[in-house]
Each structure stands twice: as structure tokens, then as C-alpha cells.
Amino acid sequence: MTAPETAAVATTAALALGDDALVLSHRLGEWAGHAPVLEEEVALANIALDLLGQARVLLSTVGDEDELAYLREERAFRNLQLVEQPNGDFAHTIARQLYFSTYQHLLYAELAAADGPFTGLAAKAVKEVAYHRDHAEQWTLRLGDGTEAGHERMQRACTALWRFTGEMFQRVDGLDVDLAGMETAWLESVRAVLHRATLTVPEGPRAGAWTAGAGRQGVHTESFGRMLAEMQHLHRSHPGASW
Amino acid sequence: MTNTDWPLWEVFVRSRRGLSHTHAGSLHAPDAEFALRNARDLYTRRGEGVSIWVVPSSAITASSPDEKDPFFEPAADKPYRHPTFYEIPDGVKHL
């Protein structure tokens, strides 16, 4: 990481990964006090805290973490559109978790094994995201293969979020990973889980026309602005305050 | 919300340096797998190297308070039943 260009691409990648973690962490935080049962609420909060920790490390490598989190406009965020999707019902949250944590686990496992700017972070975080993935898979199985109502909701959620999943495998400057290989592994894993959960693997497109996926370029979906307004409100009302 | 009558589980945790599982508390979970995961979140903060047991509360049989006397009050006038006269050697760590 000596040449300026290397630093610049590492910044692009750190922002992308950091924003993913920050935004999803905030979404999961919205469950506090509202989860179906107390134990599950603690689990979601735990995952949110893990992600917030990852976001802090990643954003700190780019600049001041608070400024980056609280003072950037929507267009400056580089997170995937998948992670900014509203929580919806519990099945939506679980489908979002399943899609994202499978991706994040594959990504961090590869980054941890390689020698690059993210090796240290990935080596720590890969254990956390393995747990997130397991949690999401367990719930997908129980909802999909549980009651009729649960199955229906889980299917609806998996199908609704499917179009956001192609974006995860777009190239990001500074992320030196085998995206094609990761995508194959991701599809294989998600298909296997959905199959075991007696769910139908969605057939819609995941990339190209009629799909989402410009979050990495700063183009976001409608609900994201509202989420940011809530997240940034206090900091913007009292600029420069310390806490 | 529909019914979530999850059964109660008792959690026993052995810490990394601990010798035995100790009752840590209880929680609700739909099945044993989730009871383990919830116990990890609630009682171990996911510290590595610990062992967790979960048991459905319904599987535990407790002694009844009514039987306290015959159960827990041994004949104190027979001191040879209570090996309390021995000095414990320094080398014995876990007794």
C-alpha cells in the first residue's frame, strides 16, 4: 500500500465493505424491542454489533468514522442495495441475512486467506460472519419447512430480494477476489439451503436489465434516504458535538 | 403475532478453565439447536473454548421441598460418615 493509486483503490473497497456493514447494522438495530421473541432480539442485536464493529474498522481506514457515517449524503454511500432494504417481516430480514451473510462469509474467507489490506480485519470478522450465516440458514430452514404461513412468507421474501443479489458480484476496485468463483459458490450454497427448506429457488434475473444493483455507484433505493435521515439526524442537529 | 409457545430450556455452561458444567440460567427456544445458539449469545458472549449443555426443562426432575428432611439431613451423630478430619495435601487442586 505505498503507491497513491493503491491507497485509492483500497479506499474504494473499504468504503464499499464498511458501508455494507454499517447500513445492515442499522437495519438490524431497528429490530430492537420488536423481534418475535426476546432471545431472537438478542441474536439480531449481536449480529448488528458485530457488523458495526466491522464498519468502524473499515471506515476508520478511510477517514473519520463519525464524519463518514453521519455527514455523507445518500449518493456518497457505496453499500449494496440489498443491505438497505427495509426489514419487512421477520422472513424478509432472514432472507436478506441469508443472501448477504453467505456472500460476506465467502468474501471474508477469501480475503483472510490472501495477503492484502483486508487480511487482518477479515481474519477476525470471518468467524463472526460464519455465525451470521449459520443463524440465517437455521432460520431459513425453520421458516421454510415450518408452518404454511411461514413457508409462504419466506418464499415471498426470498423471491422479492432475489433481484438485489447479482450486485454482490460486481467488480469493486481494490477487492482482489475471484468474484466469479464466489458467485458460483454463493449460488450453490443458497440453492442448497432453499432446497432443504422446501423453498423454490427464485428464477428472476439477478443482474442486468430489470434488476437492482447500482449501490456501489451511489444510486440507492427509496427507503435508504429515510433510513439515513433517522441515522444522521442527531449528528446533523448538533454538529461538532462530542459523545 | 401467532403463537410462539417455545419451550423452556435450562442452560449449563463450562467455562474455558472450568471443570464442570454449571447451571447458568434458562431461556426459550424452538428446538435444541436454537437453544444452543441462544445460550451462546446470552450466557457466554461467544467466548471461545466453552462447552454448553441445553436440556429441556421438562426433562429435569427436581427433589421436592417436602422431602427435605429425609433427603438432606444425614445423621449428624455418626461422625465417621463425614470424612472431614483429613488435611488436604497441597498437591490436590480440585476436590
mmCIF file of all heavy atoms in Angstrom, chain A residues 12 15-16 19-20 23 72-85 164 166-168 170-172 211-221 224:
data_model
loop_
_atom_site.group_PDB
_atom_site.id
_atom_site.type_symbol
_atom_site.label_atom_id
_atom_site.label_comp_id
_atom_site.label_asym_id
_atom_site.label_seq_id
_atom_site.Cartn_x
_atom_site.Cartn_y
_atom_site.Cartn_z
ATOM 1 N N THR A 12 -11.674 2.738 -1.928
ATOM 2 C CA THR A 12 -12.941 2.392 -2.587
ATOM 3 C C THR A 12 -13.500 1.097 -2.009
ATOM 4 O O THR A 12 -14.687 0.999 -1.693
ATOM 5 C CB THR A 12 -12.711 2.204 -4.100
ATOM 6 O OG1 THR A 12 -12.035 3.349 -4.595
ATOM 7 C CG2 THR A 12 -14.012 2.022 -4.837
ATOM 8 N N LEU A 15 -14.634 1.481 1.700
ATOM 9 C CA LEU A 15 -15.920 2.176 1.791
ATOM 10 C C LEU A 15 -17.061 1.230 1.438
ATOM 11 O O LEU A 15 -18.096 1.215 2.118
ATOM 12 C CB LEU A 15 -15.953 3.350 0.811
ATOM 13 C CG LEU A 15 -15.611 4.746 1.336
ATOM 14 C CD1 LEU A 15 -15.883 5.777 0.264
ATOM 15 C CD2 LEU A 15 -16.402 5.069 2.596
ATOM 16 N N ALA A 16 -16.873 0.462 0.387
ATOM 17 C CA ALA A 16 -17.935 -0.456 -0.034
ATOM 18 C C ALA A 16 -18.253 -1.453 1.083
ATOM 19 O O ALA A 16 -19.408 -1.600 1.493
ATOM 20 C CB ALA A 16 -17.519 -1.193 -1.313
ATOM 21 N N ASP A 19 -19.584 0.369 4.317
ATOM 22 C CA ASP A 19 -20.968 0.835 4.193
ATOM 23 C C ASP A 19 -21.954 -0.330 4.248
ATOM 24 O O ASP A 19 -23.020 -0.214 4.849
ATOM 25 C CB ASP A 19 -21.154 1.634 2.894
ATOM 26 C CG ASP A 19 -20.523 3.025 2.999
ATOM 27 O OD1 ASP A 19 -20.129 3.411 4.107
ATOM 28 O OD2 ASP A 19 -20.426 3.716 1.959
ATOM 29 N N ASP A 20 -21.608 -1.443 3.637
ATOM 30 C CA ASP A 20 -22.459 -2.645 3.750
ATOM 31 C C ASP A 20 -22.714 -2.957 5.221
ATOM 32 O O ASP A 20 -23.850 -3.153 5.647
ATOM 33 C CB ASP A 20 -21.758 -3.876 3.145
ATOM 34 C CG ASP A 20 -21.815 -3.888 1.626
ATOM 35 O OD1 ASP A 20 -22.524 -3.045 1.048
ATOM 36 O OD2 ASP A 20 -21.127 -4.743 1.026
ATOM 37 N N VAL A 23 -24.744 -0.083 7.186
ATOM 38 C CA VAL A 23 -26.165 0.033 6.839
ATOM 39 C C VAL A 23 -26.950 -1.182 7.337
ATOM 40 O O VAL A 23 -28.028 -1.045 7.930
ATOM 41 C CB VAL A 23 -26.324 0.231 5.316
ATOM 42 C CG1 VAL A 23 -27.787 0.126 4.907
ATOM 43 C CG2 VAL A 23 -25.758 1.585 4.901
ATOM 44 N N ARG A 72 -22.234 12.038 5.369
ATOM 45 C CA ARG A 72 -22.291 11.807 3.925
ATOM 46 C C ARG A 72 -23.736 11.790 3.442
ATOM 47 O O ARG A 72 -24.620 11.319 4.140
ATOM 48 C CB ARG A 72 -21.628 10.464 3.578
ATOM 49 C CG ARG A 72 -20.151 10.604 3.231
ATOM 50 C CD ARG A 72 -19.585 9.270 2.805
ATOM 51 N NE ARG A 72 -19.786 8.254 3.840
ATOM 52 C CZ ARG A 72 -19.760 6.954 3.603
ATOM 53 N NH1 ARG A 72 -19.548 6.499 2.379
ATOM 54 N NH2 ARG A 72 -19.916 6.097 4.588
ATOM 55 N N GLU A 73 -23.926 12.290 2.235
ATOM 56 C CA GLU A 73 -25.249 12.211 1.612
ATOM 57 C C GLU A 73 -25.443 10.801 1.052
ATOM 58 O O GLU A 73 -24.480 10.061 0.846
ATOM 59 C CB GLU A 73 -25.342 13.218 0.456
ATOM 60 C CG GLU A 73 -25.107 14.666 0.838
ATOM 61 C CD GLU A 73 -26.313 15.287 1.541
ATOM 62 O OE1 GLU A 73 -27.395 14.688 1.478
ATOM 63 O OE2 GLU A 73 -26.147 16.362 2.154
ATOM 64 N N GLU A 74 -26.688 10.526 0.751
ATOM 65 C CA GLU A 74 -27.055 9.217 0.211
ATOM 66 C C GLU A 74 -26.174 8.809 -0.975
ATOM 67 O O GLU A 74 -25.708 7.679 -1.070
ATOM 68 C CB GLU A 74 -28.519 9.319 -0.222
ATOM 69 C CG GLU A 74 -29.132 8.052 -0.683
ATOM 70 C CD GLU A 74 -30.594 8.272 -1.084
ATOM 71 O OE1 GLU A 74 -31.255 9.154 -0.505
ATOM 72 O OE2 GLU A 74 -31.049 7.565 -1.992
ATOM 73 N N ARG A 75 -25.928 9.767 -1.870
ATOM 74 C CA ARG A 75 -25.194 9.435 -3.096
ATOM 75 C C ARG A 75 -23.738 9.075 -2.834
ATOM 76 O O ARG A 75 -23.044 8.555 -3.705
ATOM 77 C CB ARG A 75 -25.259 10.603 -4.099
ATOM 78 C CG ARG A 75 -26.623 10.805 -4.730
ATOM 79 C CD ARG A 75 -27.084 9.600 -5.532
ATOM 80 N NE ARG A 75 -26.234 9.289 -6.665
ATOM 81 C CZ ARG A 75 -26.478 9.657 -7.907
ATOM 82 N NH1 ARG A 75 -27.561 10.350 -8.188
ATOM 83 N NH2 ARG A 75 -25.656 9.332 -8.885
ATOM 84 N N ALA A 76 -23.243 9.405 -1.657
ATOM 85 C CA ALA A 76 -21.849 9.100 -1.343
ATOM 86 C C ALA A 76 -21.689 7.729 -0.682
ATOM 87 O O ALA A 76 -20.572 7.277 -0.454
ATOM 88 C CB ALA A 76 -21.269 10.192 -0.449
ATOM 89 N N PHE A 77 -22.808 7.091 -0.362
ATOM 90 C CA PHE A 77 -22.718 5.754 0.247
ATOM 91 C C PHE A 77 -22.510 4.708 -0.849
ATOM 92 O O PHE A 77 -23.075 4.801 -1.929
ATOM 93 C CB PHE A 77 -23.983 5.446 1.061
ATOM 94 C CG PHE A 77 -23.905 5.976 2.465
ATOM 95 C CD1 PHE A 77 -24.199 7.313 2.726
ATOM 96 C CD2 PHE A 77 -23.514 5.163 3.505
ATOM 97 C CE1 PHE A 77 -24.108 7.812 4.018
ATOM 98 C CE2 PHE A 77 -23.417 5.654 4.802
ATOM 99 C CZ PHE A 77 -23.713 6.989 5.061
ATOM 100 N N ARG A 78 -21.698 3.704 -0.520
ATOM 101 C CA ARG A 78 -21.322 2.707 -1.523
ATOM 102 C C ARG A 78 -21.816 1.312 -1.180
ATOM 103 O O ARG A 78 -21.327 0.320 -1.704
ATOM 104 C CB ARG A 78 -19.787 2.685 -1.658
ATOM 105 C CG ARG A 78 -19.213 3.949 -2.275
ATOM 106 C CD ARG A 78 -19.566 4.035 -3.752
ATOM 107 N NE ARG A 78 -19.089 5.260 -4.380
ATOM 108 C CZ ARG A 78 -19.832 6.360 -4.528
ATOM 109 N NH1 ARG A 78 -21.068 6.396 -4.077
ATOM 110 N NH2 ARG A 78 -19.337 7.430 -5.110
ATOM 111 N N ASN A 79 -22.789 1.231 -0.269
ATOM 112 C CA ASN A 79 -23.286 -0.087 0.131
ATOM 113 C C ASN A 79 -24.153 -0.708 -0.958
ATOM 114 O O ASN A 79 -24.708 -0.017 -1.811
ATOM 115 C CB ASN A 79 -24.112 0.036 1.412
ATOM 116 C CG ASN A 79 -25.240 1.042 1.262
ATOM 117 O OD1 ASN A 79 -24.989 2.246 1.336
ATOM 118 N ND2 ASN A 79 -26.442 0.569 1.025
ATOM 119 N N LEU A 80 -24.286 -2.020 -0.877
ATOM 120 C CA LEU A 80 -25.181 -2.759 -1.757
ATOM 121 C C LEU A 80 -26.614 -2.346 -1.484
ATOM 122 O O LEU A 80 -26.981 -2.075 -0.345
ATOM 123 C CB LEU A 80 -25.059 -4.263 -1.467
ATOM 124 C CG LEU A 80 -23.720 -4.932 -1.715
ATOM 125 C CD1 LEU A 80 -23.709 -6.292 -1.039
ATOM 126 C CD2 LEU A 80 -23.475 -5.081 -3.205
ATOM 127 N N GLN A 81 -27.421 -2.368 -2.535
ATOM 128 C CA GLN A 81 -28.837 -2.055 -2.331
ATOM 129 C C GLN A 81 -29.518 -3.132 -1.478
ATOM 130 O O GLN A 81 -30.498 -2.854 -0.786
ATOM 131 C CB GLN A 81 -29.544 -1.918 -3.679
ATOM 132 C CG GLN A 81 -29.107 -0.657 -4.423
ATOM 133 C CD GLN A 81 -29.823 -0.477 -5.748
ATOM 134 O OE1 GLN A 81 -30.576 -1.355 -6.177
ATOM 135 N NE2 GLN A 81 -29.585 0.642 -6.399
ATOM 136 N N LEU A 82 -28.977 -4.319 -1.501
ATOM 137 C CA LEU A 82 -29.572 -5.397 -0.699
ATOM 138 C C LEU A 82 -29.643 -5.033 0.786
ATOM 139 O O LEU A 82 -30.670 -5.219 1.432
ATOM 140 C CB LEU A 82 -28.764 -6.687 -0.881
ATOM 141 C CG LEU A 82 -29.186 -7.868 -0.002
ATOM 142 C CD1 LEU A 82 -30.562 -8.389 -0.397
ATOM 143 C CD2 LEU A 82 -28.167 -9.011 -0.092
ATOM 144 N N VAL A 83 -28.536 -4.511 1.331
ATOM 145 C CA VAL A 83 -28.493 -4.298 2.779
ATOM 146 C C VAL A 83 -29.352 -3.137 3.243
ATOM 147 O O VAL A 83 -29.697 -3.042 4.417
ATOM 148 C CB VAL A 83 -27.038 -4.109 3.298
ATOM 149 C CG1 VAL A 83 -26.217 -5.363 3.072
ATOM 150 C CG2 VAL A 83 -26.378 -2.901 2.659
ATOM 151 N N GLU A 84 -29.707 -2.234 2.330
ATOM 152 C CA GLU A 84 -30.521 -1.093 2.738
ATOM 153 C C GLU A 84 -32.013 -1.392 2.661
ATOM 154 O O GLU A 84 -32.844 -0.563 3.044
ATOM 155 C CB GLU A 84 -30.198 0.125 1.857
ATOM 156 C CG GLU A 84 -30.818 0.082 0.466
ATOM 157 C CD GLU A 84 -30.091 0.961 -0.550
ATOM 158 O OE1 GLU A 84 -28.884 1.223 -0.371
ATOM 159 O OE2 GLU A 84 -30.734 1.375 -1.524
ATOM 160 N N GLN A 85 -32.382 -2.571 2.164
ATOM 161 C CA GLN A 85 -33.800 -2.906 2.044
ATOM 162 C C GLN A 85 -34.453 -2.930 3.425
ATOM 163 O O GLN A 85 -33.845 -3.383 4.390
ATOM 164 C CB GLN A 85 -33.969 -4.268 1.348
ATOM 165 C CG GLN A 85 -33.509 -4.265 -0.097
ATOM 166 C CD GLN A 85 -34.073 -3.085 -0.887
ATOM 167 O OE1 GLN A 85 -35.283 -2.914 -0.963
ATOM 168 N NE2 GLN A 85 -33.199 -2.253 -1.436
ATOM 169 N N PHE A 164 -31.758 -8.301 -5.988
ATOM 170 C CA PHE A 164 -30.659 -7.493 -5.444
ATOM 171 C C PHE A 164 -29.366 -8.290 -5.300
ATOM 172 O O PHE A 164 -28.362 -7.759 -4.835
ATOM 173 C CB PHE A 164 -31.046 -6.937 -4.062
ATOM 174 C CG PHE A 164 -32.186 -5.973 -4.106
ATOM 175 C CD1 PHE A 164 -33.463 -6.357 -3.730
ATOM 176 C CD2 PHE A 164 -31.988 -4.666 -4.533
ATOM 177 C CE1 PHE A 164 -34.518 -5.464 -3.770
ATOM 178 C CE2 PHE A 164 -33.037 -3.761 -4.574
ATOM 179 C CZ PHE A 164 -34.311 -4.164 -4.198
ATOM 180 N N GLY A 166 -27.459 -10.030 -7.549
ATOM 181 C CA GLY A 166 -26.414 -10.014 -8.575
ATOM 182 C C GLY A 166 -25.361 -8.960 -8.299
ATOM 183 O O GLY A 166 -24.181 -9.128 -8.628
ATOM 184 N N GLU A 167 -25.806 -7.903 -7.637
ATOM 185 C CA GLU A 167 -24.911 -6.762 -7.383
ATOM 186 C C GLU A 167 -23.689 -7.135 -6.543
ATOM 187 O O GLU A 167 -22.633 -6.510 -6.643
ATOM 188 C CB GLU A 167 -25.716 -5.671 -6.668
ATOM 189 C CG GLU A 167 -24.965 -4.371 -6.533
ATOM 190 C CD GLU A 167 -25.723 -3.351 -5.691
ATOM 191 O OE1 GLU A 167 -26.732 -3.710 -5.046
ATOM 192 O OE2 GLU A 167 -25.283 -2.204 -5.661
ATOM 193 N N MET A 168 -23.841 -8.165 -5.719
ATOM 194 C CA MET A 168 -22.745 -8.539 -4.822
ATOM 195 C C MET A 168 -21.506 -8.988 -5.583
ATOM 196 O O MET A 168 -20.404 -8.970 -5.049
ATOM 197 C CB MET A 168 -23.205 -9.668 -3.897
ATOM 198 C CG MET A 168 -24.360 -9.271 -3.019
ATOM 199 S SD MET A 168 -24.764 -10.517 -1.780
ATOM 200 C CE MET A 168 -25.655 -11.691 -2.761
ATOM 201 N N GLN A 170 -20.463 -7.773 -8.561
ATOM 202 C CA GLN A 170 -19.870 -6.753 -9.442
ATOM 203 C C GLN A 170 -18.449 -6.451 -8.972
ATOM 204 O O GLN A 170 -18.164 -6.519 -7.781
ATOM 205 C CB GLN A 170 -20.665 -5.443 -9.359
ATOM 206 C CG GLN A 170 -21.987 -5.457 -10.060
ATOM 207 C CD GLN A 170 -22.735 -4.147 -9.803
ATOM 208 O OE1 GLN A 170 -22.191 -3.214 -9.207
ATOM 209 N NE2 GLN A 170 -23.980 -4.104 -10.235
ATOM 210 N N ARG A 171 -17.636 -6.045 -9.913
ATOM 211 C CA ARG A 171 -16.260 -5.713 -9.555
ATOM 212 C C ARG A 171 -16.187 -4.480 -8.674
ATOM 213 O O ARG A 171 -16.901 -3.498 -8.902
ATOM 214 C CB ARG A 171 -15.470 -5.443 -10.840
ATOM 215 C CG ARG A 171 -14.113 -6.071 -10.870
ATOM 216 C CD ARG A 171 -13.232 -5.512 -11.968
ATOM 217 N NE ARG A 171 -12.227 -4.596 -11.425
ATOM 218 C CZ ARG A 171 -11.353 -4.900 -10.475
ATOM 219 N NH1 ARG A 171 -11.349 -6.088 -9.921
ATOM 220 N NH2 ARG A 171 -10.471 -4.017 -10.054
ATOM 221 N N VAL A 172 -15.339 -4.544 -7.656
ATOM 222 C CA VAL A 172 -15.071 -3.371 -6.814
ATOM 223 C C VAL A 172 -13.580 -3.121 -6.858
ATOM 224 O O VAL A 172 -12.787 -4.041 -6.605
ATOM 225 C CB VAL A 172 -15.507 -3.624 -5.351
ATOM 226 C CG1 VAL A 172 -15.135 -2.438 -4.482
ATOM 227 C CG2 VAL A 172 -16.999 -3.900 -5.276
ATOM 228 N N THR A 211 -33.166 -5.456 -12.975
ATOM 229 C CA THR A 211 -32.725 -5.804 -11.639
ATOM 230 C C THR A 211 -32.147 -4.555 -11.000
ATOM 231 O O THR A 211 -31.884 -3.572 -11.678
ATOM 232 C CB THR A 211 -31.620 -6.878 -11.641
ATOM 233 O OG1 THR A 211 -30.470 -6.322 -12.282
ATOM 234 C CG2 THR A 211 -32.057 -8.129 -12.352
ATOM 235 N N ALA A 212 -31.971 -4.660 -9.688
ATOM 236 C CA ALA A 212 -31.378 -3.538 -8.974
ATOM 237 C C ALA A 212 -29.868 -3.695 -9.034
ATOM 238 O O ALA A 212 -29.361 -4.664 -9.574
ATOM 239 C CB ALA A 212 -31.847 -3.567 -7.541
ATOM 240 N N GLY A 213 -29.168 -2.758 -8.473
ATOM 241 C CA GLY A 213 -27.751 -3.018 -8.344
ATOM 242 C C GLY A 213 -26.829 -1.915 -8.766
ATOM 243 O O GLY A 213 -25.911 -2.121 -9.542
ATOM 244 N N ALA A 214 -27.051 -0.707 -8.279
ATOM 245 C CA ALA A 214 -26.071 0.339 -8.526
ATOM 246 C C ALA A 214 -25.658 0.991 -7.221
ATOM 247 O O ALA A 214 -25.181 2.114 -7.205
ATOM 248 C CB ALA A 214 -26.622 1.368 -9.504
ATOM 249 N N GLY A 215 -25.838 0.269 -6.131
ATOM 250 C CA GLY A 215 -25.482 0.820 -4.829
ATOM 251 C C GLY A 215 -24.015 1.191 -4.743
ATOM 252 O O GLY A 215 -23.649 2.202 -4.143
ATOM 253 N N ARG A 216 -23.186 0.367 -5.352
ATOM 254 C CA ARG A 216 -21.743 0.635 -5.322
ATOM 255 C C ARG A 216 -21.389 1.926 -6.066
ATOM 256 O O ARG A 216 -20.325 2.493 -5.875
ATOM 257 C CB ARG A 216 -20.987 -0.536 -5.976
ATOM 258 C CG ARG A 216 -21.105 -1.855 -5.216
ATOM 259 C CD ARG A 216 -20.158 -1.903 -4.047
ATOM 260 N NE ARG A 216 -20.067 -3.228 -3.469
ATOM 261 C CZ ARG A 216 -20.357 -3.503 -2.189
ATOM 262 N NH1 ARG A 216 -20.767 -2.551 -1.382
ATOM 263 N NH2 ARG A 216 -20.214 -4.724 -1.728
ATOM 264 N N GLN A 217 -22.312 2.375 -6.954
ATOM 265 C CA GLN A 217 -22.073 3.635 -7.662
ATOM 266 C C GLN A 217 -22.782 4.800 -6.962
ATOM 267 O O GLN A 217 -22.783 5.925 -7.466
ATOM 268 C CB GLN A 217 -22.575 3.527 -9.111
ATOM 269 C CG GLN A 217 -21.701 2.677 -10.026
ATOM 270 C CD GLN A 217 -21.999 1.179 -9.876
ATOM 271 O OE1 GLN A 217 -23.149 0.764 -9.970
ATOM 272 N NE2 GLN A 217 -20.961 0.389 -9.637
ATOM 273 N N GLY A 218 -23.407 4.524 -5.833
ATOM 274 C CA GLY A 218 -24.058 5.606 -5.094
ATOM 275 C C GLY A 218 -25.515 5.817 -5.446
ATOM 276 O O GLY A 218 -26.122 6.799 -5.034
ATOM 277 N N VAL A 219 -26.079 4.894 -6.210
ATOM 278 C CA VAL A 219 -27.501 5.002 -6.541
ATOM 279 C C VAL A 219 -28.261 4.050 -5.618
ATOM 280 O O VAL A 219 -27.969 2.862 -5.579
ATOM 281 C CB VAL A 219 -27.753 4.616 -8.018
ATOM 282 C CG1 VAL A 219 -29.242 4.718 -8.342
ATOM 283 C CG2 VAL A 219 -26.939 5.522 -8.931
ATOM 284 N N HIS A 220 -29.206 4.622 -4.878
ATOM 285 C CA HIS A 220 -29.864 3.809 -3.856
ATOM 286 C C HIS A 220 -31.372 3.768 -4.034
ATOM 287 O O HIS A 220 -31.941 4.539 -4.798
ATOM 288 C CB HIS A 220 -29.476 4.334 -2.474
ATOM 289 C CG HIS A 220 -28.009 4.136 -2.187
ATOM 290 N ND1 HIS A 220 -27.484 2.920 -1.832
ATOM 291 C CD2 HIS A 220 -26.963 4.985 -2.284
ATOM 292 C CE1 HIS A 220 -26.167 3.040 -1.695
ATOM 293 N NE2 HIS A 220 -25.822 4.273 -1.969
ATOM 294 N N THR A 221 -31.986 2.861 -3.279
ATOM 295 C CA THR A 221 -33.437 2.698 -3.385
ATOM 296 C C THR A 221 -34.123 3.676 -2.439
ATOM 297 O O THR A 221 -33.491 4.281 -1.566
ATOM 298 C CB THR A 221 -33.840 1.251 -3.066
ATOM 299 O OG1 THR A 221 -33.279 0.882 -1.808
ATOM 300 C CG2 THR A 221 -33.321 0.305 -4.131
ATOM 301 N N PHE A 224 -33.796 4.149 1.497
ATOM 302 C CA PHE A 224 -32.484 4.400 2.097
ATOM 303 C C PHE A 224 -32.361 5.832 2.622
ATOM 304 O O PHE A 224 -31.784 6.075 3.679
ATOM 305 C CB PHE A 224 -31.385 4.105 1.073
ATOM 306 C CG PHE A 224 -29.995 4.207 1.631
ATOM 307 C CD1 PHE A 224 -29.642 3.551 2.795
ATOM 308 C CD2 PHE A 224 -29.025 4.977 0.994
ATOM 309 C CE1 PHE A 224 -28.350 3.641 3.312
ATOM 310 C CE2 PHE A 224 -27.734 5.070 1.504
ATOM 311 C CZ PHE A 224 -27.406 4.403 2.662
#
